[in-house]
Each structure stands twice: as structure tokens, then as C-alpha cells.
Amino acid sequence: MNFSLIICTYMRPKPILDLLRSVTSQTLYPDEILIVDGSTDLETEILFKNNIFENLKYYRVDETQRGLTKQRNYGINLVDEASKIICFLDDDIILKDNYFENLLRTYKLKEDALAVGGYIDNNSSWEKESNIKSKNKFYYDGWMRNEPSRFKMRRLFGLQPDRNPGFFPTFAHGRSVGFLPPSGSIYEVEQVMGGVSSYKKEVFENLSFSTYFEGYGLYEDADFSLRLSKKGKLYVNTSAQLYHYHDDSGRPNKYKYGKMVVRNGWYVWRVKFPNPKLKARIKWHATSFLLTLVRFTNVLNTNKRKEALTESLGRVVGWFSLFFNKPKIQS
């Protein structure tokens, strides 16, 4: 099964070099690697002139094609005709040696799969479930992990997600696939993380990544996944493991990020539920308000006070903007 790897990058020459070195250690190597570089300097281009990787093709795009979703669509159009699977990786990831082997194996085990996501192994610490239950733990499929403070607060106000991890609640604000345990199992989902994803090439005959999500593209993966889940099955293989190091270079400032959290979150919610019921609308706004308050408390209890404050202010501005200028849902 021929497969292509697309890596969209922006101003991260060192992280992408580390990623590609982990790709060279794979038990199954991509038939082609497409680098789509939106950087405004030449450092990444120079890197690929000085470091040669097998089957790699480098493309530097101009301002008109810059931005995560644009770069992904650009790369898809360049994929070799022989490829059956297209994989995407964020540029600040390090792979375990059997990542591609386990990821691609899923398409043989789950023949109905349109997409398969990998599993980020350094997001949280999991343990096998014990006999002693605690409100401070989250339990799933015989495993447990610490429950984040935001979910503890939501439980107090009756705002817990009403669907399993990887599925989208009626009022959004769900548990990501990061709340699936490292059990080695394959779980059906309706969302995969874009930076650790793969898709059958045929998917892109009728779908593309939405250009509504400009620049950094927060939640673009949720938008695409939810649209794709209406057409077929999506899975996460927790044995296809990697590490995500969240490099700060190339990210938007926290104020813009805060606005995106709310506005892009609203957009994705309405992609899934164009006409939500009144109860779901109330819960969406209540949860957004509560999570903003939780973020404000980080001004007092973390060392990154300025970041917490600016992101919180961005969330407030983003929330108020919904009453005057709602995002227009693209068909």
C-alpha cells in the first residue's frame, strides 16, 4: 500500500529536522515525503539543501498559499498518483519506530476506514484502573488518568461532555482523542487530530480542508473530521504512537489564540449541529464562560501570567464578537 507523507511547516527548521530523523528510523518508510514550507525566511529551505532525505520533495509557497489548511490542500494536489494513503504530521513531532507500520495496518484491519489517527504518547500519564475510585481520576476502558481541573469544574455545574472521547457532544467542548488510553486498541471516533492523521486518498476527491481556518488553523482538523464522519468511519490506533512537543515558534500570540478558541470552536460546533436545541446553546455558552474563568485563574496560579491574561482577554472578545459577527459556515 503506497503512502505519502505531507508535512506543512512554518518557521521551524530545527523541529522539522528532528522529525525527519525519526522518520528515517521507521520500520515502514513513506513512498514520498512532501514538505510544504510557508516560512517567511530561507532557513528551512537552506536546511533541505544541506540535509538529504530519501523520497523527499521540498516546496516553498508564497503568501497566497501560506496557512495550514492552504498548505495541506497544496500538498494534496502534488501527491503521486500511485499513493493510496496520505499521512499528515505536525512539524514538532517525534515518531516511535513503528508508527507508520501500525498506522497503515489499521486500514487492513478496518477496511471501512476513511481516516486513521495516531496516538500522542506524552500528553498525560495513564495507569491501569484500580479498585479504589476517585473523583480526581478519569476512567476509560480499564485505564485511568488524572482528571484535568477544567473537567472537575464542569462536573460541578453539570457541564460534563455527553459523549465518549473522540466524539462531539451536543454542546461541543468534548474530550479529545487524548482521553483514549494507550491500550494498543483501535477505537472508532468521529474526530482525529490533524497533526497525527492519515486518510484514504479517495477522500480528497470530494473534500478539502476549509480555508475558513486561516494561518495557524486552530480546530481545522475537527472541522474536516466532522464533515468526513458523515461519509464513513474514522479510527484512532493507540499502538501508532509518537511524541508531540508543542514548539512555540510559529504560533500566534495568545490574544489571537484566545479569540480563535472561541470563534473557531463555535464554527466547528455549528458544522456538526447547524440548528442546536436551546438547551445545547445554553450549555455551549455556559461552558465557554466557565472555561474562560478557569483560564483567568491561571493569572494567579501559574508563572506565565501574561500569557494567561492575554489569552483570557482574547476569549472574552471572541465570545462577545459572536453576538455581532458570527462566522459564516462554509458549505
Side-chain angles (χ1 to χ4, degrees):
M1 185 183 295
N2 283 25
F3 73 102
S4 300
L5 169 62
I6 298 177
I7 305 172
C8 300
T9 188
Y10 177 75
M11 309 294 282
R12 288 178 177 170
K14 185 182 184 304
I16 197 172
L17 181 60
D18 293 338
L19 164 59
L20 287 168
R21 285 172 175 163
S22 74
V23 172
T24 61
S25 300
Q26 289 295 295
T27 56
L28 187 64
Y29 192 83
D31 295 280
E32 69 172 348
I33 302 172
L34 304 177
I35 306 296
V36 185
D37 180 18
S39 301
T40 56
D41 61 26
L42 297 177
E43 287 191 33
T44 306
E45 183 174 354
I46 293 170
L47 180 150
F48 287 109
K49 289 181 179 178
N50 297 329
N51 295 271
I52 306 301
F53 294 92
E54 185 180 355
N55 300 342
L56 188 143
K57 302 172 185 176
Y58 171 83
Y59 301 91
R60 185 163 182 259
V61 297
D62 60 23
E63 186 176 356
T64 61
Q65 295 295 335
R66 186 175 296 140
L68 182 57
T69 57
K70 289 182 179 180
Q71 287 174 234
R72 282 185 178 164
N73 291 334
Y74 184 93
I76 290 165
N77 290 327
L78 297 170
V79 166
D80 189 275
E81 290 185 4
S83 286
K84 301 299 182 183
I85 305 294
I86 300 177
C87 302
F88 292 91
L89 289 173
D90 280 350
D91 52 11
D92 52 358
I93 274 171
I94 301 294
L95 304 176
K96 292 191 177 183
D97 290 351
N98 58 358
Y99 173 77
F100 286 124
E101 182 180 353
N102 288 338
L103 191 76
L104 273 291
R105 181 169 52 88
T106 316
Y107 288 97
K108 295 180 180 180
L109 297 174
K110 303 289 185 180
E111 294 183 357
D112 58 352
L114 295 181
V116 178
Y119 185 83
I120 299 173
D121 193 37
N122 61 325
N123 264 355
S124 59
S125 297
W126 287 85
E127 302 173 274
K128 286 294 185 69
E129 185 175 334
S130 66
N131 294 326
I132 302 173
K133 302 297 183 182
S134 169
K135 291 183 178 180
N136 294 320
K137 298 288 185 180
F138 170 72
Y139 298 88
Y140 196 81
D141 196 20
W143 292 73
M144 64 182 186
R145 55 164 284 181
N146 289 335
E147 180 75 296
S149 59
R150 65 186 184 277
F151 284 102
K152 294 178 187 177
M153 289 289 292
R154 289 175 61 178
R155 186 190 302 128
L156 292 175
F157 293 94
L159 296 172
Q160 283 282 67
D162 54 11
R163 301 195 72 189
N164 286 337
F167 286 88
F168 207 74
T170 55
F171 58 98
H173 303 293
R175 293 185 186 270
S176 72
V177 294
F179 283 88
L180 296 173
S183 61
S185 298
I186 299 170
Y187 295 98
E188 183 179 346
V189 296
E190 62 181 14
Q191 292 178 257
V192 294
M193 293 184 179
V196 296
S197 61
S198 68
Y199 306 89
K200 283 184 176 174
K201 185 184 175 185
E202 64 195 54
V203 161
F204 300 103
E205 294 174 3
N206 299 306
L207 287 178
S208 61
F209 290 96
S210 173
T211 53
Y212 167 79
F213 300 89
E214 298 178 351
Y216 180 65
L218 184 68
Y219 301 153
E220 43 68 39
D221 47 0
D223 165 73
F224 188 81
S225 292
L226 291 171
R227 288 187 286 127
L228 181 59
S229 67
K230 297 176 183 178
K231 300 178 179 294
K233 301 289 189 179
L234 286 68
Y235 297 93
V236 166
N237 188 337
T238 61
S239 67
Q241 297 186 356
L242 44 75
Y243 306 105
H244 191 190
Y245 289 104
H246 299 283
D247 193 275
D248 287 334
S249 57
R251 293 180 182 271
N253 66 55
K254 287 296 182 178
Y255 175 77
K256 290 182 178 179
Y257 179 84
K259 285 182 66 177
M260 283 192 289
V261 166
V262 176
R263 288 185 61 83
N264 291 10
W266 184 94
Y267 181 97
V268 171
W269 175 46
R270 291 306 183 89
V271 166
K272 176 66 175 178
F273 300 107
N275 297 294
K277 296 180 179 180
L278 178 61
K279 182 179 180 180
R281 292 170 190 256
I282 292 171
K283 281 195 167 187
W284 187 91
H285 285 284
T287 307
S288 295
F289 178 74
L290 179 62
L291 292 176
T292 299
L293 287 181
V294 170
R295 190 65 176 118
F296 264 119
T297 64
N298 296 149
V299 176
L300 303 174
N301 60 20
T302 68
N303 294 327
K304 297 182 178 180
R305 295 179 180 181
K306 183 179 178 181
E307 290 186 5
L309 178 60
T310 53
E311 182 185 324
S312 299
L313 292 174
R315 288 182 182 230
V316 171
V317 171
W319 184 72
F320 274 108
S321 73
L322 294 175
F323 295 96
F324 307 102
N325 180 28
K326 290 182 173 64
K328 291 181 173 60
I329 307 298
Q330 295 182 4
S331 58

